[in-house]
Every structure is written in C-alpha cells, then in structure tokens.
Amino acid sequence: MNKLPLLEARLSSATGIDTNICAVFQDSAKKAISPKGAYSPAVEKLRKAGAFDAKHGAIQFLRFFDSGSSKVADNALLIGMGPSAELTEEKSRLAGGTVWAKLNAEKCKEVSVEVDSFVAASGIKEADRARLMRAFAEGLVLSAYQFNKYKTKSEAKSEGKLGLKSEKGNNPPGPSQIVFVTQDKNLKSQLELELIQVTAIGEAVGVTRDWSNEPSNYGTPVYYANEAKRLAKQYGLKCKILTEQDAEREKMGLFLGVGQGAERESRIVVLEYSPKGVKNPKTVALVGKGVTFDSGGISIKPSMKMEDMKHDMTGAATVMGAMLLASSWEVPNRVVAVMAFCENMPDGNAIQPGNVLTSRSGKTVEIINTDAEGRLVLADVLDYAQDLKPDAIVDVATLTGAVSIALGKHCCGILGNDEALISAVRRAGEANGERIWELPLYDEYFDDLKSDYADMKNSANDSLGGTIRGAVFLKQFIRKGSMWAHLDIAATAWNLGHLSYYPKRGASGAYVRTLAQFIANF
C-alpha cells in the first residue's frame, strides 16, 4: 500500500516547512489578484509582467523566495484558481493534483497550505470553505500514488560504486507532510475531521489501484482472496471465502464455466460490515466482477493492448475499496460485498461457443461469445447476493467495451430497475467529481438475446447496443422486488490521466468515493 503524506491542520505555521502553497484568484478582467501577506509583491510583479494570470491550474514556483520574514518558507508555490465565483469542489480537487505534480518535480518534502488564501476570496461562502479545502486535499492525496512494486533502481552507494537496490513497496516521491494552516479556529476544527476522511480515501483508493495494477501472474484469484481476508481482519470486517467446491455446491454453473479453462482456481469473497449501535440498519450489497485476466477465452481477443486485461478485475477492486472506505467512515448502514475472482483462459477445458450452461438461479444460457464472460460471472453472484436480503444491490464491472464508444472516458454508464436508486448513486458521483450517465434498459433489448436452445444467449450476433444488452442480460437474474443498479466502468477503470489527480497510466480507482458516499447517505 502507498505511503501517504501526513495531513495536519494548524492555527500557526509549522517549523521545518520548505514550501508554502498560496492560492491566487482572478478578477473580472481575468487578471491575478494579489493575495494579502508576504506573497502580494511577488504576485503583483508577475501580474504586471504578464507572467502569471492566475487562471485555473496556472502554476508559479518561486524558489528561495526572500520575503524578509523568517516565518515564510524558502519556496512558494502559487496556484491559479481562476475567478472565485467559478470555483467548484472538482476544480479545487484538480488544482490539488496539479500542485502535487509540481511539488514532486521540485522535490519538496515538508509543505504548508495557506488555507486563508483559498477561502478568503470574495464570492466563497463560509459554508463552502471546508468542502473546498477537503477537495483540494483529496487532489493532493489521490495524486500521491505510484505502483513501483516490481521496479529495481540503480543508485550510487556511499562508497561511490554503482549497485542495484530492490525497491519493494509503493512509497512514492513527493511531500511527506502537508500542513493546512488557517487563522480561523472553527475552520481548523472542521479541517481536522475532513483530513481524517481524506486520508481514509487515499488508503482505500490505493488498495483499489494496487489490486487493479497487480500483474495477473501474481494477482490470481487465490491472491485476492488472501488479501481480502488480511484486509478484513485489519478493518474489522467479517470475511467468508468460497472455493470452487463451494461454488459447485451453490450450483454456480456460469461462474465456474468462465474459469474452467484456467489452471488457477477461482474464488468468491464475501465481506460484511455492520455499524455499531445502529438499530435496524439498511443493507447495501456491492457485487464486483473480478476476472483477473481476460484473454477472451476461445473467442480470443486481439493481441493489441491485451496486457490491460489484468484490469478486468477492477469491478471487484472498486468494491473492495468502497467497502474499506465505508467501514473507515463508520457509515450507518450495513454493507455486504460479494467479489467473484476467476481467469478467462482458452485451454482444452474452456467453454466453447454453442455450449449451454446452467446458472445458480436455474436459468440456462447458450454461450455465443466466450469474451462476454463478465455477465456470466455476475449473474451467479448477483443471485447469491439476493439471498442476503439487501435493501439495494449495486454491481460494478468492466463489462463492455461498448460503453467507451457510447460515453468515452469522461463518465461511466449506469443502468438498473429503480430510478430512485440510480439517482442516489448519480448524486454521490456528482458530489465527488465522478460522473455517471444513465442508459436505457428497455425490455425490448432482451429480444436480441433470446436463444433457440436455452433460456437466453450471453451475446447477440452483432455489436449494437452492447452495454445495454450486457445489463439486460444481468436483469434476467434480478428477482422481483430487488432494487438493483449496474455500473459499467470499463472505460474509466484505467488510464484517466487527463485528470490531474489520476495516474497517467494504470488503475484510476474511480468510483470508490462515490460508492462509499452513496452507502453513507442511503
């Protein structure tokens, strides 16, 4: 797990700080407004020279800044925030990501944030101050991630000779401490609570990213089951592991069918969080697809970018992160998580197009395309999750490439059978800068999945409406009275580097915050 920077709120400047971060806003003429305090003369000079207009995301790093005061750090980082009236939580979060990248590049280690420069601008309401600073802190913490677990690094030893040192663990460069300094006692108290929650976000999203980035030769179904068991103990969660033999007893023919071409055994992980001191809490079930490598099976994928198919278990990884974050936040609702891990490989035992499999629910499925495997995995564990009597079910999966064609990488798709549930998940997403767009789920889409030999096919014979067809297949396994929503995160699970607080490559960790907040507010 990544080592996160220590976050702290104070009323006065901390000792040993090498860099101060100061926010600079724009006036109505799109010019930088000089902030109060030590950095006002420098901003004024930069503004007159046309070197810094303070538009959102603009950066100026002043090394060895001489303010004439011993209380000011050697270096200053000025971050442009644009017009204060246009500042949103997402813009504040993006600014945090931009700042982290610059702090990292300049090798800053002990940093302070001049909070009052962020919140004193006209147009920022007092009620919004803590939320805006929390979002800025999220941008910093979410940016403090690297997956360097399997890298080695050449460096000079003290004797001057070169040698190889194994760099195990994810300890990224960048600041080790970030102190948020404000003169407002009430704001300081609010920030202390917010920063605790932000640290929990960094840890939970880090787990999701670590799991998704893990190479599939190490990240096997058994590996994730063991990691889930370890983390459950650490976070005080109940944990149950289902083996393939257990799945056979549960008659999970679809789930087992996907993994039968792989040498590595499949596993299902069931976790439970129960709030303390809450009578009759509601129960939310999170269900995650965990295909640890998806070759496509007999319907094998093209070789281009197949290495990214280690990320096909990101639905389960997202569920795990959300579960950990919800428990860290001590949400008032009960949560059960069901994560199904398997590999989709094409050996002599693999399922074949034309095969018919029987699901846990008893419904039969004709296999048209073995690369439409995620819906098979989810169908059985969704049926299992409904036995746990949840008030709502949300499944998360990298289900279809079609969702990237429909929506691109700026939002994920949601489909389901209950508008109130879908709206609640979407609201949580908007609050966290994680966009979600609803696609229709008309029953007529199932007409394309009717089979001559079984109750249904797992895929149609053309590529039209692929995301909707995947969801309408899942809908066949949702019982009457069950409230259900499906998140297709295939386009947003990795490579979201266009946003400053996500890694340029690899797992994004998107929707962990959304799901945890949805659970908290359900």
Side-chain angles (χ1 to χ4, degrees):
M1 185 184 295
N2 258 16
K3 184 178 180 181
L4 297 174
L6 176 65
L7 304 182
E8 187 178 354
R10 293 190 187 178
L11 292 173
S12 59
S13 297
T15 59
I17 296 296
D18 60 60
T19 305
N20 285 339
I21 301 168
C22 179
V24 184
F25 290 87
Q26 286 183 321
D27 60 20
S28 58
K30 303 296 184 181
K31 301 287 188 181
I33 301 172
S34 296
K36 294 180 180 179
Y39 304 114
S40 180
V43 173
E44 186 67 18
K45 287 181 181 179
L46 290 166
R47 184 184 67 80
K48 288 181 178 179
F52 182 62
D53 60 6
K55 70 178 180 181
H56 182 265
I59 286 277
Q60 277 287 339
F61 189 82
L62 309 178
R63 185 173 290 283
F64 305 127
F65 177 76
D66 184 8
S67 67
S69 171
S70 60
K71 294 183 178 180
V72 178
D74 287 341
N75 309 315
L77 192 156
L78 308 178
I79 174 67
M81 302 298 287
S84 58
E86 297 177 11
L87 185 61
T88 63
E89 288 179 57
E90 178 62 3
K91 284 187 174 182
S92 189
R93 194 176 290 114
L94 289 165
T98 300
V99 165
W100 180 272
K102 188 62 175 176
L103 293 172
N104 186 14
E106 298 293 345
K107 303 187 185 309
C108 303
K109 294 300 179 186
E110 309 291 330
V111 174
S112 70
V113 179
E114 301 293 329
V115 172
D116 296 338
S117 71
F118 284 81
V119 301
S122 61
I124 295 180
K125 299 177 182 178
E126 184 174 348
D128 295 335
R129 297 183 306 170
R131 291 189 299 104
L132 290 170
M133 292 314 302
R134 172 195 170 122
F136 183 76
E138 285 180 7
L140 291 167
V141 167
L142 289 171
S143 301
Y145 178 87
Q146 284 188 345
F147 190 79
N148 56 17
K149 185 176 179 182
Y150 298 103
K151 284 189 175 184
T152 57
K153 183 178 179 181
S154 178
E155 63 182 28
K157 294 184 178 180
S158 58
E159 296 82 7
K161 298 179 181 179
L162 292 177
L164 283 176
K165 179 182 177 183
S166 178
E167 296 291 319
K168 293 297 182 182
N170 296 339
N171 296 320
S176 58
Q177 181 185 28
I178 304 175
V179 180
F180 289 72
V181 180
T182 177
Q183 303 303 311
D184 188 316
K185 290 183 179 179
N186 290 332
L187 182 55
K188 184 251 184 185
S189 298
Q190 293 176 55
L191 282 176
E192 286 177 334
L193 298 175
E194 297 286 7
L195 294 178
I196 290 171
Q197 293 207 354
V198 170
T199 297
I201 287 172
E203 292 172 348
V205 171
V207 168
T208 294
R209 289 171 172 174
D210 282 352
W211 277 28
S212 181
N213 285 328
E214 191 73 31
S216 58
N217 56 322
Y218 294 100
T220 65
V222 171
Y223 169 85
Y224 291 114
N226 291 337
E227 281 295 289
K229 189 175 181 179
R230 179 184 66 81
L231 287 165
K233 184 176 181 181
Q234 180 181 332
Y235 281 77
L237 308 173
K238 292 181 181 178
C239 181
K240 180 180 180 181
I241 308 295
L242 276 65
T243 64
E244 287 190 350
Q245 290 71 31
D246 296 323
E248 286 175 6
R249 284 191 285 271
E250 292 286 344
K251 299 181 179 179
M252 294 182 174
L254 303 186
F255 168 71
L256 289 169
V258 173
Q260 74 186 39
E263 289 189 10
R264 298 180 176 99
E265 283 204 3
S266 304
R267 291 290 185 273
I268 295 172
V269 176
V270 184
L271 300 178
E272 180 181 348
Y273 160 83
S274 296
K276 296 178 181 178
V278 179
K279 292 184 178 179
N280 302 317
K282 293 180 180 178
T283 297
V284 175
L286 299 179
V287 176
K289 170 192 170 185
V291 178
T292 59
F293 188 79
D294 181 19
S295 69
I298 296 296
S299 307
I300 198 162
K301 292 178 179 289
S303 60
M304 182 68 72
K305 297 291 185 182
M306 196 192 282
E307 68 272 17
D308 284 339
M309 287 302 96
K310 69 177 183 178
H311 296 298
D312 205 31
M313 46 69 64
T314 307
T318 304
V319 165
M320 188 68 198
M323 188 75 172
L324 299 181
L325 185 53
S327 65
S328 294
W329 285 353
E330 298 181 349
V331 298
N333 295 308
R334 177 173 171 262
V335 192
V336 290
V338 185
M339 296 170 283
F341 295 100
C342 62
E343 288 184 346
N344 186 20
M345 296 293 286
D347 81 347
N349 293 319
I351 55 172
Q352 305 154 334
N355 288 176
V356 174
L357 303 179
T358 302
S359 68
R360 184 179 187 270
S361 71
K363 294 178 180 179
T364 56
V365 178
E366 179 190 3
I367 305 303
I368 300 298
N369 187 336
T370 64
D371 195 25
E373 88 297 334
R375 63 201 66 182
L376 303 176
V377 170
L378 286 175
D380 276 344
V381 288
L382 279 168
D383 190 68
Y384 179 91
Q386 288 171 93
D387 284 356
L388 305 176
K389 307 298 182 184
D391 296 284
I393 305 170
V394 180
D395 77 70
V396 191
T398 53
L399 202 73
T400 66
V403 75
S404 63
I405 297 170
L407 300 175
K409 297 187 78 69
H410 296 285
C411 63
C412 80
I414 190 169
L415 307 95
N417 66 359
D418 188 276
E419 283 301 320
L421 174 61
I422 289 171
S423 295
V425 176
R426 290 189 67 191
R427 283 195 304 272
E430 288 295 326
N432 287 280
E434 297 180 327
R435 294 169 172 163
I436 302 171
W437 193 256
E438 183 180 5
L439 295 172
L441 196 59
Y442 304 129
D443 289 335
E444 286 80 2
Y445 281 98
F446 184 67
D447 291 344
D448 299 320
L449 298 181
K450 291 178 179 177
S451 169
D452 294 328
Y453 307 106
D455 295 329
M456 68 194 83
K457 301 183 292 187
N458 77 324
S459 179
N461 296 108
D462 59 52
S463 60
L464 303 178
T467 300
I468 300 171
R469 284 171 172 171
V472 82
F473 178 90
L474 297 177
K475 186 180 178 182
Q476 309 313 306
F477 300 89
I478 302 301
R479 303 169 194 167
K480 186 176 180 179
S482 292
M483 188 186 298
W484 161 73
H486 161 66
L487 283 179
D488 192 334
I489 63 168
T492 53
W494 64 91
N495 295 357
L496 288 188
H498 60 279
L499 296 174
S500 64
Y501 53 86
Y502 287 124
K504 286 190 177 358
R505 281 210 64 210
S508 66
Y511 302 101
V512 169
R513 292 175 293 132
T514 290
L515 290 170
Q517 184 165 329
F518 159 71
I519 293 165
N521 297 338
F522 181 66

